[in-house]
Amino acid sequence: MNRIVKLICYSLIICCPSIESFAQQDSVSVNTLVEKTQKLLEAYPIEKVHLHFDKPYYAVGDTLWFKTYLTSNMYNYDLSKVVYVEVMNGKDSLMQTMRIPLTNNVGEGHLVLDQEWYSQGNYRFRAYTKWMVNFDPAYFFNKIIPIGDVLNNALHYNVTFNDVGKGKSARTQAVIQFKDREGKPLGNRKLNWSAQAGWEPIDDGKGQTDAVGNAVININGKDREQLRKGNLYVSLESGSAAPPMLGTFSLQSALWDADVQFFPEGGDLIAGLSKKVAFKAIGSDGRGLSVKGSVVNQKGTEVATLSDVHKGMGYVSFIPEIGDAYTANITFENGESRSFPLPPVVEQGISVTVVKSDTSELQLAIVANDRFFAANKGKAFYLIAQANGILCYAAQAALRNNAVVVNLPKDRFPTGIAQLTLFTSAGKPVSERLVFVENIKPLSITVSSDQKEYTTKQLVKLGIKVVNNDTLTAGNYSVAVVDESKVPYDENKETTILSNLLLTSDLKGYVEEPNYYFNQPDDQKKEALDVLLLTQGYRRFSYAEILADRYPEVHFFPEQGIEISGVLRLNNGKPVVNGGLLLSIPDRSFRKDTYTDENGRFVFKDLVFTDSSRVTINARGNDNYRDMVINVDPTRYPGIDTTFYRADNVLNIDNMLAPYLTNSRNEYRTSILLEEVEVTASSRPSFSHKDYPAISGLGMADHQISADRLKGCNNLIMCLQTALTGITYDSQSQLFYITRDYNAGGRIPVQFFVNGMAMDVPSLNGIMPTEVEGIEIFLRDELGTVSRMYQNNGVVSIYTTKKQEKGPRMSLSQIEALLPKSNIVDLTPLGYVEERKFYTPKYDTPERRAVSDIRTTVYWNPQVKAGDDGTAQLDFYNADGTGSYRVVVEGMDATGNIGRAVYRYTVKQ
């Protein structure tokens, strides 16, 4: 990275003489444009987060392992030392937030997929730093991970949809095959079904499976868009006295539809200029559609043919004419044909285009048609190039010909996406082009093993060698070894450190199969990558905002550790100056004190504790502590955004994960048999909303909180502010709101129930935290059974233990002891994820080798460090699985250069 910065500074110095020689009395000089751009880029460094997981998918009961990498385009400031990893279910409801500490820009974590909380579905993992929250959440790390379930899920299925309405009416046919947990068809079973979008019913009916478990369900809706937003709910009889089995199916892809968009290179379709016009064809599920077709003018004359290069993306070239209009007649793989208009032809214009980029130079052309050239001959235009938040090139040139060729040495750019923007002398951007520049190659990581073939449970010795441009380099890496026969996966679909940090982290739109462009790249893949960038836009900042001196607001600085802050006031609201406070963490035998400033504010910095630790702050060291109130600042998190990456959702998880789930079924066989035998046992908690008529119509709780979470709590409302997952407390209104809606501007509060009775927030002060048996959180009320009556958004149901028999009257001192103390605050803030090591067995004796080992992740090591000689040595034992074992190495060296390697070896019996 240091080398990159030096090269860029050198390039700007070279460009300065040319800038000065062309200087004119324009409304905005190129120097001004450069200075303002440089000011923005230097003041707002770009941080990027990448997560390397040990596997691409999991099953309920597994432990998910990951390594966190943080990179920046600048290293002359204190980078964030904390990364947040969030887990969201298929409804984008927040399930868990993990706080990962970083050392030397890397960290590690794990997540146990507890069967009490996780079920089969597509889970979204989002990662970011607090500094990244200042900007668009579209640049956060996002990854969809399918999770199968053989522990809780007794109903398995495969579903396909047929669009009976043929793109016109909202009619679809669902063909579903139902199987039990052992894979046996559930034949001749009666079923009930309903389709609904939120609270709105779409259709319902009854049916029966045939002898092989197949059922055909015809859904008739009124609106296609509403149907696509809905779900199909099926209740299938179990064949015994047990309750019916339930299945939920997303209708997102139930109707076939297609859209094709066109993107002329540089921005406009300019009359008289021949250049690329990229296109992108996507289906209703957000994924690319293979297409063929032709472009015709308004007379119906064909001017070009087209076919996609990759995943529905491609380009055509033709010369548009003034006054003409163009249409693309497209044929899709399923035989459907549609017509789509191209953008209108502009009579005059100028554009920046890429001529070639496969040499040591990036050759550009600034081209204008005759009308534009005649009207702007001799006028100045500016060309600015930036990549990864670094200004790489700036120049000014007078328009003396229709075309100007510009050659940019690639060594002025860091590897990644470069944004080329052409401006008028007034500072108005008129053309933009994104191009991928490969300057410094990724780290060359070589993996070797002492043998190419092994037997089961044999010791494996791996060697890793890392080279950066012919120089051995030190670095930090993570290594995952999986049994590929149990964990098959398409390498192109992976979210790798290369595809993420060099491509998707700079693009707002969805990129399908991002690793395709980096997996053994060739000319065809480089062409496909260029087409991808023709259909994307770079919007990390706006030049119009820069020229107007409007810069992003900063609400969070790079976080250096855990901080707890707030204000100490007297009962009358006056801040306490130089007031003393003591923070203690009993689990760690930790104590720390601090004093308030002139505004009564206090802050405890650099705290270290794990999640769910109890933290106590008290002001009792002050003389008049009885009159003091401690107000702790609420922790702010970004809202839950919608993401295009939901297109990666897997509809038929049972099919896609079949080998993995078969192995999981064998691995957790004991748990499954226990569930089947102990019919009378119940794993559900002793509290449930189903026991109370007022809230029995609610669905499954999104989150549950046990009484242990409130242990040591003195004030219930204060503890609920940090304990309620997915809920935000607003200190001004003193009400609770669903976090995702609150961050989006919604102000409809949550409704609280205590043992089935509705209660307002102030009334909760009458409940002793020690009496709370459990809490259920409902972020959605699909049927509206509660929200229609109480006009609320979300429900928090609190369950308390039964009241004790009436005893003797309490004394005044006993009553005072029960009252919450405002000068003592008990918190359970989000701490760091608890450290845990991956278990690596040793099979060095016959007794140890006799143990069955059907693990899918054979080895996981997030702390592989290569020394100055660029090498590292690892050893581990194989499991019982035979076939191909895949080794994946990802990481970065000390200067931020990244790399990835995949290696395979064979295991025989």
Side-chain angles (χ1 to χ4, degrees):
M1 182 60 70
N2 293 331
R3 180 189 173 198
I4 294 173
V5 173
K6 290 177 182 176
L7 287 171
I8 290 163
C9 293
Y10 177 65
S11 73
L12 289 175
I13 292 171
I14 290 177
C15 294
C16 286
S18 65
I19 293 172
E20 294 290 333
S21 63
F22 282 100
Q24 299 178 3
Q25 297 299 318
D26 297 310
S27 57
V28 176
S29 70
V30 68
N31 284 332
T32 300
L33 187 58
V34 168
E35 289 170 2
K36 288 179 177 288
T37 303
Q38 191 72 8
K39 178 182 176 181
L40 173 86
L41 298 180
E42 289 180 353
Y44 298 90
I46 296 174
E47 291 187 346
K48 299 180 180 180
V49 173
H50 174 68
L51 300 185
H52 176 202
F53 295 90
D54 65 309
K55 290 191 287 266
Y57 46 77
Y58 299 87
V60 171
D62 289 351
T63 297
L64 177 151
W65 304 89
F66 62 89
K67 172 80 171 279
T68 306
Y69 293 94
L70 175 68
T71 66
S72 175
N73 62 333
M74 299 181 190
Y75 285 82
N76 58 351
Y77 75 103
D78 291 329
L79 278 72
S80 298
K81 290 183 174 58
V82 178
V83 164
Y84 295 86
V85 178
E86 295 175 339
V87 187
M88 285 162 267
N89 62 18
K91 298 179 180 179
D92 272 335
S93 295
L94 182 65
M95 295 196 63
Q96 192 164 350
T97 300
M98 292 174 281
R99 202 174 202 166
I100 311 297
L102 302 182
T103 303
N104 296 325
N105 305 325
V106 297
E108 59 183 279
H110 70 279
L111 174 65
V112 177
L113 301 176
D114 194 322
Q115 68 182 103
E116 291 290 332
W117 307 104
Y118 289 88
S119 58
Q120 184 159 301
N122 294 282
Y123 291 81
R124 174 184 170 198
F125 284 73
R126 187 175 75 163
Y128 56 88
T129 65
K130 280 293 181 72
W131 174 254
M132 294 169 63
V133 176
N134 293 308
F135 313 105
D136 196 326
Y139 299 108
F140 292 177
F141 173 88
N142 277 282
K143 180 179 173 66
I144 303 298
I145 294 184
I147 295 177
D149 187 0
V150 297
L151 294 178
N152 302 314
N153 193 14
L155 182 64
H156 297 262
Y157 58 84
N158 179 64
V159 58
T160 58
F161 291 102
N162 301 314
D163 187 354
V164 182
K166 299 296 182 182
K168 297 178 181 179
S169 62
R171 296 171 56 220
T172 189
Q173 184 182 78
V175 180
I176 312 174
Q177 183 182 34
F178 295 99
K179 297 180 180 180
D180 62 15
R181 66 168 77 248
E182 298 296 333
K184 298 177 182 178
L186 296 170
N188 303 315
R189 304 288 181 91
K190 293 181 180 180
L191 61 87
N192 296 316
W193 62 268
S194 66
Q196 58 187 59
W199 301 337
E200 297 296 326
I202 298 174
D203 196 6
D204 57 39
K206 297 181 179 181
Q208 184 171 332
T209 62
D210 61 16
V212 292
N214 289 323
V216 178
I217 298 175
N218 293 298
I219 305 172
N220 297 306
K222 296 179 180 179
D223 180 79
R224 290 177 65 86
E225 192 60 33
Q226 182 196 42
L227 183 63
R228 271 196 290 261
K229 293 179 180 178
N231 289 301
L232 172 63
Y233 301 95
V234 177
S235 173
L236 185 74
E237 67 177 6
S238 61
S240 64
M245 296 176 285
L246 306 177
T248 302
F249 309 89
S250 170
L251 296 175
Q252 179 185 357
S253 57
L255 299 174
W256 184 90
D257 205 351
D259 182 43
V260 181
Q261 295 179 310
F262 294 87
F263 307 87
E265 184 178 17
D268 291 321
L269 192 60
I270 304 172
L273 290 184
S274 175
K275 60 176 183 175
K276 294 178 180 177
V277 179
F279 61 85
K280 186 174 185 178
I282 58 174
S284 55
D285 58 0
R287 299 177 186 175
L289 297 173
S290 182
V291 295
K292 291 183 178 180
S294 61
V295 177
V296 298
N297 60 20
Q298 56 190 3
K299 296 180 180 179
T301 304
E302 182 179 296
V303 298
T305 59
L306 61 82
S307 63
D308 66 295
V309 174
H310 178 67
K311 295 298 177 182
M313 296 176 290
Y315 69 89
V316 295
S317 297
F318 65 98
I319 302 176
E321 297 182 0
I322 296 176
D324 212 341
Y326 297 89
T327 302
N329 297 321
I330 305 292
T331 300
F332 300 92
E333 273 189 321
N334 64 354
E336 292 281 335
S337 295
R338 293 188 183 181
S339 297
F340 300 89
L342 271 67
V345 180
V346 298
E347 294 186 358
Q348 57 176 318
I350 189 171
S351 178
V352 57
T353 64
V354 175
V355 179
K356 60 180 180 179
S357 61
D358 55 351
T359 61
S360 61
E361 291 185 324
L362 181 63
Q363 189 175 82
L364 313 177
I366 300 173
V367 293
N369 68 351
D370 293 337
R371 285 198 178 191
F372 187 92
F373 177 69
N376 296 275
K377 185 176 182 181
K379 290 184 179 180
F381 289 85
Y382 312 144
L383 180 64
I384 301 287
Q386 73 85 24
N388 196 29
I390 300 173
L391 189 60
C392 304
Y393 181 86
Q396 173 179 317
L399 189 63
R400 305 195 185 283
N401 298 295
N402 288 68
V404 177
V405 176
V406 181
N407 292 309
L408 302 182
K410 286 186 178 180
D411 59 9
R412 295 181 178 178
F413 294 82
T415 296
I417 298 174
Q419 178 193 25
L420 313 171
T421 309
L422 184 68
F423 299 84
T424 65
S425 58
K428 178 183 177 182
V430 291
S431 182
E432 181 182 273
R433 176 69 150 90
L434 299 183
V435 62
F436 191 87
V437 177
E438 185 177 356
N439 172 23
I440 300 176
K441 292 185 177 181
L443 297 175
S444 175
I445 302 176
T446 304
V447 183
S448 60
S449 57
D450 58 332
Q451 299 176 206
K452 286 297 292 182
E453 289 189 358
Y454 297 88
T455 59
T456 58
K457 293 181 179 172
Q458 185 178 353
L459 180 66
V460 178
K461 295 182 179 180
L462 288 183
I464 298 175
K465 181 179 179 181
V466 185
V467 177
N468 179 22
N469 290 303
D470 303 323
T471 303
L472 294 169
T473 182
N476 201 313
Y477 306 90
S478 47
V479 176
V481 182
V482 299
D483 183 344
E484 202 166 22
S485 62
K486 299 171 183 173
V487 196
Y489 199 66
D490 185 351
E491 184 78 11
N492 293 333
K493 295 180 180 179
E494 289 273 20
T495 301
T496 69
I497 195 169
L498 297 177
S499 67
N500 177 32
L501 298 181
L502 298 181
L503 183 65
T504 56
S505 61
D506 279 326
L507 300 175
K508 293 185 68 172
Y510 169 63
V511 178
E512 187 175 358
E513 297 187 1
N515 198 45
Y516 167 82
Y517 307 100
F518 299 90
N519 182 19
Q520 301 177 348
D522 52 25
D523 290 342
Q524 181 179 350
K525 292 183 178 180
K526 290 179 180 178
E527 180 187 24
L529 178 56
D530 192 54
V531 172
L532 169 71
L533 296 182
L534 282 169
T535 66
Q536 296 284 340
Y538 184 97
R539 293 294 178 268
R540 278 195 181 270
F541 58 85
S542 164
Y543 279 109
E545 298 289 321
I546 292 176
L547 291 173
D549 290 323
R550 291 193 292 266
Y551 296 100
E553 293 184 16
V554 174
H555 301 284
F556 304 96
F557 290 97
E559 198 174 12
Q560 301 302 301
I562 298 178
E563 293 184 1
I564 296 178
S565 60
V567 180
L568 180 63
R569 300 180 185 275
L570 295 174
N571 288 335
N572 59 12
K574 183 179 178 180
V576 177
V577 179
N578 202 33
L581 295 110
L582 176 66
L583 179 145
S584 61
I585 307 174
D587 293 347
R588 296 180 55 85
S589 301
F590 176 86
R591 295 163 68 89
K592 186 174 185 178
D593 59 8
T594 191
Y595 293 88
T596 59
D597 61 15
E598 63 274 11
N599 298 313
R601 292 200 58 79
F602 66 87
V603 58
F604 293 95
K605 295 184 177 181
D606 301 324
L607 301 175
V608 178
F609 53 85
T610 56
D611 196 20
S612 299
S613 295
R614 183 167 63 91
V615 178
T616 301
I617 303 174
N618 80 71
R620 289 193 164 189
N622 302 285
D623 292 338
N624 55 340
Y625 70 90
R626 294 181 184 274
D627 300 325
M628 293 182 180
V629 178
I630 301 173
N631 294 307
V632 178
D633 293 335
T635 305
R636 296 169 61 190
Y637 296 98
I640 304 300
D641 60 322
T642 57
T643 177
F644 295 108
Y645 281 87
R646 278 296 176 188
D648 285 335
N649 281 359
V650 177
L651 179 61
N652 292 305
I653 292 179
D654 290 326
N655 273 12
M656 177 189 164
L657 275 61
Y660 189 86
L661 294 180
T662 298
N663 185 79
S664 182
R665 190 175 290 109
N666 294 328
E667 190 173 5
Y668 300 116
R669 173 69 63 180
T670 303
S671 300
I672 295 171
L673 289 176
L674 284 174
E675 181 182 334
E676 292 175 348
V677 172
E678 297 178 13
V679 178
T680 59
S682 175
S683 62
R684 57 177 285 193
S686 57
F687 56 86
S688 172
H689 65 286
K690 297 294 185 183
D691 298 330
Y692 302 96
I695 53 176
S696 61
L698 294 171
M700 184 180 295
D702 292 283
H703 306 286
Q704 290 182 329
I705 297 174
S706 64
D708 294 339
R709 187 74 182 271
L710 301 177
K711 192 175 182 180
C713 175
N714 293 327
N715 184 303
L716 182 60
I717 292 181
M718 192 167 290
C719 295
L720 291 178
Q721 294 175 26
T722 56
L724 296 180
T725 306
I727 303 292
T728 293
Y729 177 74
D730 183 89
S731 57
Q732 293 183 345
S733 64
Q734 297 186 349
L735 294 172
F736 292 81
Y737 303 89
I738 292 180
T739 300
R740 63 168 184 272
D741 298 328
Y742 180 83
N743 292 332
R747 291 298 182 269
I748 303 176
V750 166
Q751 178 62 50
F752 281 85
F753 285 84
V754 178
N755 295 332
M757 295 181 61
M759 271 198 178
D760 56 15
V761 173
S763 300
L764 298 178
N765 274 324
I767 300 174
M768 291 301 299
T770 54
E771 294 179 352
V772 176
E773 185 181 14
I775 301 173
E776 287 185 319
I777 302 171
F778 302 86
L779 301 179
R780 298 172 188 267
D781 181 8
E782 280 89 352
L783 301 178
T785 55
V786 176
S787 59
R788 288 196 184 109
M789 178 175 293
Y790 295 95
Q791 301 301 307
N792 64 293
N793 182 23
V795 172
V796 174
S797 182
I798 300 174
Y799 309 97
T800 63
T801 54
K802 293 182 179 180
K803 293 182 178 180
Q804 301 296 322
E805 293 295 327
K806 190 173 182 180
R809 297 180 62 180
M810 290 187 293
S811 66
L812 180 61
S813 60
Q814 289 175 318
I815 294 174
E816 287 181 344
L818 293 176
L819 295 175
K821 308 295 189 297
S822 61
N823 49 54
I824 299 179
V825 176
D826 283 316
L827 307 169
T828 54
L830 181 66
Y832 292 133
V833 65
E834 191 172 351
E835 291 186 8
R836 182 179 171 187
K837 298 295 183 183
F838 181 85
Y839 172 67
T840 304
K842 286 187 177 181
Y843 297 123
D844 51 356
T845 65
E847 292 79 10
R848 291 178 175 177
R849 291 177 61 86
V851 177
S852 176
D853 186 353
I854 57 174
R855 292 172 301 142
T856 51
T857 299
V858 179
Y859 182 71
W860 167 253
N861 190 340
Q863 296 181 348
V864 177
K865 296 180 180 179
D868 292 334
D869 61 353
T871 64
Q873 303 297 322
L874 309 170
D875 60 75
F876 57 90
Y877 287 85
N878 291 323
D880 281 333
T882 59
S884 174
Y885 279 34
R886 185 174 71 145
V887 182
V888 176
V889 182
E890 289 194 347
M892 61 185 183
D893 66 10
T895 55
N897 298 295
I898 59 176
R900 171 183 166 91
V902 178
Y903 177 79
R904 290 175 171 85
Y905 64 87
T906 303
V907 176
K908 295 185 177 180
Q909 191 64 44

